[in-house]
Amino acid sequence: MDVARLAGVSPSTVSRILNGTARVSEDKRLAVLAAIAQMNFAPNQMAQALKKGRSMTIGIVVQDISSAFFDENLRGIDDGLKGTGYASVIVSGHWNPEEEAERIRLLLGRKVDGIILLSGRMSDEAVRAFSLQRPIVSTGRELHTRSALGIKLDNEHGAWMATHHLIELGHRRIAFIAGPPNNLDAEERLAGYRRALREADLPFDPKLVVEGNFIESGGLLAINHLFETQQQFSAVFAANDQSAYGVRLCLYRKGIRVPDDISLVGFDDLPGSSYTTPPLTTIRQPLYEIGLLSTNALLRLINGETVDTQVPPLELIVRETTRRVR
């Protein structure tokens, strides 16, 4: 009201100018801007958002809130929201498509302005259907509609890089600790492992592939299985860093030196991988950057803008768990 009085216009005119919807003379617009500057006035962001029918919240569906993998995604999302006025509501889907859908319905009931779905097993069709109600950005899938965007990394190529690195070091018997069944990331990493062997004219031995579950205990059990079945190998590629941590513990308990006796490669480059003993060679996923990219893309979708994302590439990080075969 004071701004309107000082500028000599009506309060509704001030409101329309602030919202960018007013068609007024240049003199009136400049008078309002001068009054705002003179009074050091800052419009109430939430009040403006409510007028536009927005809650200034976004929903985030993670799969495991205890996972360091999702911690890095969330750190990127948090930084992406700084200064935007948006707050986040975080829920967990526990790698269950029905639970993911239930959590999304819960978020929609809370009138979030958009949703970020981190990985998960919900179908593309379900994501597209939910995006008709609120914009959705989902990682780990290829998807592009007016209200839904998928952000996907090249897992197959990352696994190829990991296996190729071991082959270049002279390894010919490379064990693979796979991810869980019916998981797209796990399937693509197995495909990359097999492609690297094929291109090097090395035979694929299914006895060297053991199913894991993307957590430490699964890696430990999988490598134990290889020893119990007396498989011969000089290197291990674990489908993610957490599995590699379990492998490393098993090797330590058996007195097997890394990398002197067996080389080890992971996938993710979690923060702790720089501090394992020895530091882990791995494929770096830009987890923080994906969180930041997802946030920026979602805010653009919320504002009705077009989105053109450039996904950062995966990178081989060579540390101290791999060495050339003697």
Side-chain angles (χ1 to χ4, degrees), residues 96-256:
N96 182 301
E98 289 78 19
E99 192 167 349
E100 289 169 31
E102 190 275 331
R103 292 292 185 265
I104 288 179
R105 283 190 287 268
L106 181 150
L107 292 169
L108 293 172
R110 290 175 175 264
K111 306 298 183 184
V112 298
D113 296 328
I115 292 170
I116 296 176
L117 174 60
L118 296 175
S119 298
R121 296 185 177 177
M122 184 184 298
S123 69
D124 291 352
E125 291 75 15
V127 173
R128 279 193 288 264
F130 279 123
S131 74
L132 298 177
Q133 300 179 64
R134 289 292 188 276
I136 295 179
V137 172
S138 178
T139 64
R141 72 179 76 226
E142 294 178 353
L143 192 63
H144 203 151
T145 72
R146 293 182 62 182
S147 57
L149 177 71
I151 297 178
K152 190 176 185 305
L153 294 167
D154 193 344
N155 284 285
E156 195 266 355
H157 182 65
W160 177 90
M161 285 193 292
T163 311
H164 181 70
H165 169 65
L166 292 169
I167 293 171
E168 283 192 317
L169 293 176
H171 296 281
R172 295 297 178 263
R173 297 280 293 174
I174 302 169
F176 180 58
I177 310 303
N182 303 316
N183 179 288
L184 181 59
D185 290 353
E187 292 171 356
E188 291 176 342
R189 292 173 197 179
L190 175 59
Y193 164 78
R194 296 190 65 163
R195 177 165 72 90
L197 295 178
R198 184 172 62 252
E199 291 179 359
D201 292 324
L202 294 175
F204 170 73
D205 185 350
K207 295 186 181 67
L208 290 179
V209 177
V210 184
E211 182 182 301
N213 56 6
F214 279 164
I215 61 176
E216 294 83 351
S217 59
L220 189 150
L221 292 172
I223 193 72
N224 260 327
H225 174 78
L226 289 170
F227 287 125
E228 288 169 357
T229 55
Q230 300 182 342
Q231 302 303 317
Q232 299 298 312
F233 53 94
S234 63
V236 178
F237 170 33
N240 73 336
D241 282 4
Q242 288 174 262
S243 296
Y245 299 161
V247 171
R248 179 68 188 93
L249 177 60
C250 177
L251 297 177
Y252 166 76
R253 287 176 172 172
K254 291 181 178 295
I256 298 173

Side-chain angles (χ1 to χ4, degrees), residues 2-4 6-7 13-15 17-19 28-43 48:
D2 291 337
V3 171
L6 185 61
T13 298
V14 173
S15 178
I17 290 174
L18 290 176
N19 290 330
K28 283 186 177 181
R29 191 182 70 83
L30 292 176
V32 169
L33 294 177
I36 289 172
Q38 182 177 335
M39 299 185 66
N40 195 27
F41 171 75
Q48 289 190 25

Side-chain angles (χ1 to χ4, degrees), residues 165-166 169 171 258-259 262-265 279 281 318-324:
H165 169 65
L166 292 169
L169 293 176
H171 296 281
V258 176
I262 289 181
S263 288
L264 176 62
V265 179
T281 295
V318 179
R319 295 195 178 103
E320 300 171 39
T321 56
T322 53
R323 64 174 298 170
R324 185 168 294 281

